[in-house]
Amino acid sequence: MGTARDLMIVATDAATSREVTQGDLSLGLAGAEVIDLLGAEVVTLDGDRIVSRPAPSLDDPLLEQAATALVRDAPYEPIEDWLWRRGRGLAEEYLTVLQEEGVVARPRASWIPFRGTGPEPVESPARQRALHRGATDEPVLATLAAAVGAREEVPEDLPEPDDAARAVLAAVVDAVTELGAVRRRRAIEDEAFANVWRAP
């Protein structure tokens, strides 16, 4: 539990050559929520589909929100569809809640998160836990952080997560790769459009 929150904190603490974008991070957070819901036994996986189970309320309001957003009827929802649906704007939601809790602070000069001087983690037990998980190369958090650009790479000798976690991680990596391809295609199209207008 707490993987999504830890990922958000690690992302605000990251110093990598890649930019952590809201889109990538939102997809990673949606995947981390599935990992946390699996750990809380709120869901199971049937192949690539997220199957909800009866469960008590969760202590984490963000995770409770995720649980209430689950598709509860067969044939249920594929992990990939969940990532895109749940991930829409999710980084901003996490940032807002963690700010309200005093875990993350956004500098006053920054009104657009993750650009320029973006959000900064506040020294807290939550930050120490997240950094410890990152420093010890806990495989799930390490893989998610690398996928969204919050760390450079994942060591090759990491222990293998279980099958369910591996399926979720693979879906996150695929979704982030797809989003990156869309961004590159749009950048090429924008440049081509600009060149047309610059032409004499």
Side-chain angles (χ1 to χ4, degrees), residues 14-39:
T16 65
S17 59
R18 285 174 57 191
E19 178 188 6
V20 180
T21 68
Q22 283 198 62
D24 290 350
L25 183 53
S26 291
L27 290 168
L29 289 167
E33 287 183 336
V34 178
I35 299 287
D36 289 339
L37 292 171
L38 284 164

Side-chain angles (χ1 to χ4, degrees), residues 101-155:
E101 295 175 355
V103 176
V104 171
R106 185 186 297 171
R108 291 184 182 180
S110 175
W111 61 276
I112 302 178
F114 314 112
R115 289 187 186 172
T117 54
E120 300 172 349
V122 174
E123 191 56 47
S124 66
R127 179 173 184 256
Q128 289 306 311
R129 183 192 66 232
L131 294 183
H132 176 73
R133 284 185 73 184
T136 57
D137 288 333
E138 190 277 321
V140 169
L141 183 60
T143 303
L144 287 169
V148 304
R151 66 178 288 163
E152 297 292 354
E153 58 185 19
V154 179

Side-chain angles (χ1 to χ4, degrees), residues 93-111:
E93 287 186 39
Y94 268 80
L95 179 60
T96 298
V97 171
L98 294 183
Q99 278 184 284
E100 291 171 352
E101 295 175 355
V103 176
V104 171
R106 185 186 297 171
R108 291 184 182 180
S110 175
W111 61 276

Side-chain angles (χ1 to χ4, degrees), residues 47-130:
D48 71 336
R49 293 183 180 269
I50 303 168
V51 180
S52 63
R53 301 173 54 182
S57 296
L58 300 165
D59 293 336
D60 184 336
L62 287 163
L63 204 55
E64 180 68 26
Q65 184 184 77
T68 61
L70 293 166
V71 172
R72 300 190 178 278
D73 299 314
Y76 302 106
E77 186 172 33
I79 301 168
E80 181 181 1
D81 290 359
W82 164 268
L83 297 178
W84 292 107
R85 179 175 67 85
R86 172 66 179 162
R88 191 173 293 114
L90 194 56
E92 183 65 25
E93 287 186 39
Y94 268 80
L95 179 60
T96 298
V97 171
L98 294 183
Q99 278 184 284
E100 291 171 352
E101 295 175 355
V103 176
V104 171
R106 185 186 297 171
R108 291 184 182 180
S110 175
W111 61 276
I112 302 178
F114 314 112
R115 289 187 186 172
T117 54
E120 300 172 349
V122 174
E123 191 56 47
S124 66
R127 179 173 184 256
Q128 289 306 311
R129 183 192 66 232

